[in-house]
Amino acid sequence: MQAPLLVAEGLEFRYREPVLREFSLTVMEGRIHFLAGSNGAGKSTALALCAGEFRPHAGVVRVLGRDPLVPRARHALMALPETSHRMDWLSAREAVQFHRDVYGLGKTEGVAAGDALARLGLGAVLERRIAGFSKGMARRVELAALLATDRPLWLLDEPEAGLDPEGRFLLAELLTEARARGRAIVIAAHSAGPLLAAADELVVLRKGRTCWRGSVADAACQTGCVMFEAELQGPDAHEALVQRLKGLPFTSPTLSERGLRFLMEPDAC
């Protein structure tokens, strides 16, 4: 039987007041989990506890059955915080290679720095210093580092921060490809979009507690807030699409932004 890569059981954490209560999550390989919640709901704290950045005041976290601070467990995960320290003095290639070196990866392990940057649309600026990059380009360098190290467990806090629409869809493709390779991915975010549509499980936090858990399709059906995406080409495409959609039995709905907001803050809808 396959063992989980990450197990969090009954996690609790407080600063002055409790910010996370009885949080549990089991993450298997080849799965994407989406943690949703409004600001202050406890998403970032949950990820930080799973990464071993903080110690929980109650509960337990295990990565590959070990404490996340044990070297073998640390080597199995990579965490991407919402805001990180830009290595402006390095080139894009040097920054990605730095992460590969930290994990002690050989030439045949993971993805080469240049290839990872090219996958994120930065193939033409490999040798440019990050100091001259926009926020979105710097974020793509961080995502390239994630791909280049290619750890079994990815913990991502607001990974879309700073990305333009093209960057967001590149990220969704990257994570879908990683899942196909067996990577386990946990995403913390507060808005719907391509990442939510790709998720296997949605966990909604409200005031530090889990208030909803299930598939994205179940969430869409329960709230009645279903969204479909279609790419239209040509001046008559819209009318033609409407005619073809009539009566079709859709089976894979995606939760809309309004539906996610209803789960996070029902009183606001």
Side-chain angles (χ1 to χ4, degrees):
M1 183 177 178
Q2 183 188 56
L5 290 178
L6 168 68
V7 175
E9 294 181 342
L11 299 188
E12 300 198 9
F13 192 83
R14 60 184 178 275
Y15 293 101
R16 292 184 178 179
E17 300 291 334
V19 295
L20 194 68
R21 312 178 191 192
E22 300 178 359
F23 175 79
S24 296
L25 184 69
T26 299
V27 180
M28 311 295 291
E29 69 177 39
R31 302 271 293 176
I32 297 177
H33 301 259
F34 194 101
L35 305 184
S38 302
N39 293 335
K43 308 183 302 297
S44 296
T45 299
L47 279 191
L49 293 173
C50 290
E53 183 178 345
F54 306 139
R55 291 290 194 184
H57 292 115
V60 63
V61 176
R62 289 293 180 264
V63 175
L64 296 180
R66 296 173 171 83
D67 186 302
L69 294 183
V70 171
R72 185 172 177 182
R74 292 293 300 171
H75 194 266
L77 69 88
M78 186 169 180
L80 179 68
E82 179 179 3
T83 56
S84 56
H85 300 291
R86 290 173 45 145
M87 294 183 283
D88 286 351
W89 61 94
L90 298 179
S91 70
R93 188 198 298 272
E94 289 169 339
V96 174
Q97 186 60 46
F98 169 80
H99 286 87
R100 287 180 51 81
D101 292 343
V102 165
Y103 282 91
L105 299 181
K107 292 183 178 180
T108 61
E109 297 178 281
V111 180
D115 293 340
L117 286 162
R119 180 67 183 84
L120 270 298
L122 298 176
V125 294
L126 299 180
E127 310 306 335
R128 281 180 50 186
R129 289 181 59 191
I130 297 173
F133 284 7
S134 66
K135 181 179 179 181
M137 290 174 67
R139 191 58 162 179
R140 291 196 192 201
V141 173
E142 295 172 339
L143 295 172
L146 187 73
L147 173 60
T149 55
D150 201 19
R151 300 295 83 201
L153 176 61
W154 300 14
L155 304 177
L156 315 180
D157 192 2
E158 299 288 355
E160 294 181 315
L163 294 178
D164 58 11
E166 179 188 5
R168 291 196 293 270
F169 278 98
L170 270 176
L171 174 59
E173 290 179 354
L174 177 70
L175 298 186
T176 302
E177 292 166 2
R179 174 175 56 189
R181 295 195 304 276
R183 303 300 176 248
I185 302 165
V186 184
I187 303 166
H190 61 265
S191 61
L195 297 189
L196 177 60
D200 299 292
E201 182 186 49
L202 170 63
V203 179
V204 181
L205 295 175
R206 190 187 306 148
K207 296 181 179 179
R209 295 185 182 276
T210 300
C211 63
W212 200 92
R213 184 190 300 266
S215 71
V216 178
D218 286 344
C221 292
Q222 179 175 320
T223 61
C225 297
V226 182
M227 178 178 68
F228 299 94
E229 292 188 0
E231 183 175 342
L232 304 179
Q233 297 180 352
D236 300 323
H238 182 271
E239 182 60 30
L241 179 64
V242 170
Q243 294 301 320
R244 294 192 64 181
L245 291 181
K246 290 181 178 179
L248 290 182
F250 293 108
T251 58
S252 299
T254 298
L255 183 65
S256 71
E257 191 72 46
R258 181 176 178 81
L260 183 61
R261 185 184 178 205
F262 176 80
L263 292 176
M264 295 190 302
E265 299 292 341
D267 294 338
C269 295

